[in-house]
Amino acid sequence: MGLMDVVDSRTVGDMQRCPVSHHDGTWTIWGNAEARKAAEDSQTFSSRVSRHLSIPNALDGEEHQRFRRLIDRYLSDAAVNPLFPDFLDIARTVVDNLPRGEIVDAVTDVGSIVAVRCQSHWLGWSRAHEETLLTWMDENRAAARSGARSSLAAVARRFDAIIRQILDEHRALPADSSPTAALIQERIDQRSLRTSEIVAILRNWTSGDLGSIAASIGVVAYSTATRNLADNLYQADDETLDAAIDELLRIDDPFVSNRRVTTREVELGGVHIPAHERVIINWTAANRDRRAFDDPDAFAPQANREKNLVYGAGPHACPGRRISTLEIRAGLIALLEAGFRVAGEPQREAVPGGGFSYIPIVLGT
């Protein structure tokens, strides 16, 4: 069983048969318990897998902890919860500006624009960069679908150039004017952050999250409509909405996988993995493991909460979980308020992506 067989949550089979497998030189973790165990054991399953500077994703140990402490201050509940009213206004404006009674795309016409505008608002970025970022998202999706290293490298360089231009616009601003300006003036290990480190942090905050948030809004909207949850969620409080969002993303997880490398020999899921081996933790599969979830398709937010791995686990669990949830919640509320229905067959995102590339919806008149 290879990665291509189960990366799409619709085709994830019974993980009891192969919670860990080996294929084409890579070990893949499919099982829920095994995924959690690997994610929590960063000493054995190292995140130092990238040739490029990636903060904090590709760091381990004390170095990871130092950067994570810095980053977590920007993404704490106290820091991001006050942003929600603005996020909701942004999402409502996006939806209000769409035509009624005509087919629009929940992913690109809603999700992508909400993601870019919310992230830009949070980071203090000018709206002048919006079209550039939306174009980059399209280019990044195309590069990911192609799998061509040259294309992936080109879009990565393009994004770094965008970030460096934005940094130049914020260098003379006071630290309290935006998180971007504040980050420029941060210190770590009694020294100023290097520009390459600031770029790496902002890349982590935005380049992956833009596409992931767009995909997540699409998944949540589609599932809400097709599972007839709209009426209940429209009346739900924030806590209930957030639990529903987490569960819908578990059922159809667009955060597909993360890479690791083993630092020593280890046994996992009944198999022996040598040292210095490439490992993929497949979150989509782990979130549909029948050993953890009796019925992976059942919508059961409270029952499945403890085993939900949408945002990972362990020291590398996603630091942006809260702000991501707020953005997705804002997008969902705006769509619920407008009234929407799925108006045709959606298109799945190609491997290695998750979720949908296109979801036709019609907003209420």
Side-chain angles (χ1 to χ4, degrees):
M1 184 179 294
L3 177 61
M4 297 287 286
D5 299 320
V6 298
V7 71
D8 187 328
S9 64
R10 297 167 302 166
T11 59
V12 175
D14 187 347
M15 293 300 106
Q16 294 185 43
R17 292 174 298 170
C18 54
V20 180
S21 68
H22 187 248
H23 182 74
D24 288 344
T26 299
W27 297 86
T28 304
I29 302 171
W30 314 108
N32 185 277
E34 291 77 14
R36 182 179 294 277
K37 185 174 181 180
E40 291 178 345
D41 184 3
S42 60
Q43 291 186 332
T44 302
F45 294 90
S46 170
S47 293
R48 294 185 182 276
V49 295
S50 177
R51 292 174 297 175
H52 308 289
L53 182 63
S54 180
I55 299 174
N57 294 26
L59 304 178
D60 283 324
E62 178 57 31
E63 184 181 23
H64 173 262
Q65 292 174 26
R66 290 196 301 272
F67 275 100
R68 187 61 186 258
R69 284 192 293 268
L70 183 155
I71 288 166
D72 284 351
R73 288 193 281 105
Y74 288 82
L75 292 164
S76 68
D77 288 1
V80 302
N81 280 344
L83 294 168
F84 180 70
D86 294 332
F87 288 173
L88 185 54
D89 285 345
I90 288 169
R92 283 170 170 162
T93 299
V94 171
V95 172
D96 286 348
N97 286 334
L98 292 172
R100 267 43 181 177
E102 301 177 15
I103 290 178
V104 296
D105 180 11
V107 180
T108 58
D109 293 330
V110 180
S112 293
I113 300 175
V114 169
V116 167
R117 290 187 184 174
C118 286
Q119 290 277 305
S120 296
H121 175 75
W122 166 48
L123 292 169
W125 294 0
S126 168
R127 280 284 297 272
H129 297 291
E130 181 175 311
E131 287 302 320
T132 299
L133 290 168
L134 288 169
T135 299
W136 179 86
M137 288 174 69
D138 290 339
E139 294 171 348
N140 189 49
R141 291 188 186 106
R145 290 167 190 154
S146 75
R149 289 186 178 181
S150 59
S151 297
L152 291 168
V155 295
R157 289 193 300 270
R158 171 68 172 144
F159 194 81
D160 281 8
I162 295 170
I163 294 293
R164 288 175 184 275
Q165 179 183 348
I166 291 171
L167 287 179
D168 288 342
E169 296 169 3
H170 285 74
R171 290 194 187 280
L173 298 179
D176 60 0
S177 64
S178 72
T180 302
L183 190 63
I184 290 170
Q185 299 182 41
E186 283 283 4
R187 297 180 64 82
I188 194 165
D189 299 337
Q190 300 181 338
R191 64 169 175 81
S192 298
L193 285 179
R194 302 181 182 96
T195 297
S196 60
E197 292 169 335
I198 299 168
V199 170
I201 291 170
L202 289 172
R203 184 195 313 124
N204 177 254
W205 285 352
T206 53
S207 68
D209 284 351
L210 292 176
S212 296
I213 297 302
S216 295
I217 290 174
V219 165
V220 169
Y222 179 79
S223 298
T224 295
T226 56
R227 290 175 177 269
N228 298 314
L229 296 172
D231 289 344
N232 288 337
L233 294 185
Y234 183 70
Q235 303 175 48
D237 58 28
D238 290 346
E239 183 177 353
T240 302
L241 270 176
D242 292 352
I245 288 167
D246 280 357
E247 176 67 349
L248 293 174
L249 294 178
R250 178 199 65 78
I251 293 169
D252 194 349
D253 189 352
F255 306 103
V256 178
S257 63
N258 285 131
R259 295 180 297 160
R260 298 288 193 273
V261 61
T262 52
T263 62
R264 63 178 181 85
E265 296 181 4
V266 62
E267 184 172 308
L268 185 69
V271 301
H272 175 80
I273 305 176
H276 313 302
E277 293 285 284
R278 293 178 297 175
V279 175
I280 291 173
I281 302 176
N282 190 299
W283 304 112
T284 301
N287 272 321
R288 296 183 58 80
D289 183 355
R290 291 185 181 276
R291 298 173 307 161
F293 310 100
D294 292 337
D295 180 358
D297 283 315
F299 176 74
Q302 297 308 317
N304 295 331
R305 186 172 187 171
E306 293 303 314
K307 294 182 179 179
N308 189 329
L309 295 174
V310 164
Y311 291 99
H316 284 276
C318 178
R321 175 175 188 159
R322 185 58 183 163
I323 196 169
S324 297
T325 300
L326 295 179
E327 294 177 31
I328 298 165
R329 189 210 295 168
L332 177 60
I333 289 175
L335 286 168
L336 290 172
E337 289 176 343
F340 74 100
R341 61 181 174 84
V342 175
E345 286 298 315
Q347 296 174 7
R348 283 280 169 179
E349 183 56 82
V351 173
F356 299 91
S357 61
Y358 172 71
I359 304 171
I361 62 172
V362 172
L363 302 173
T365 56

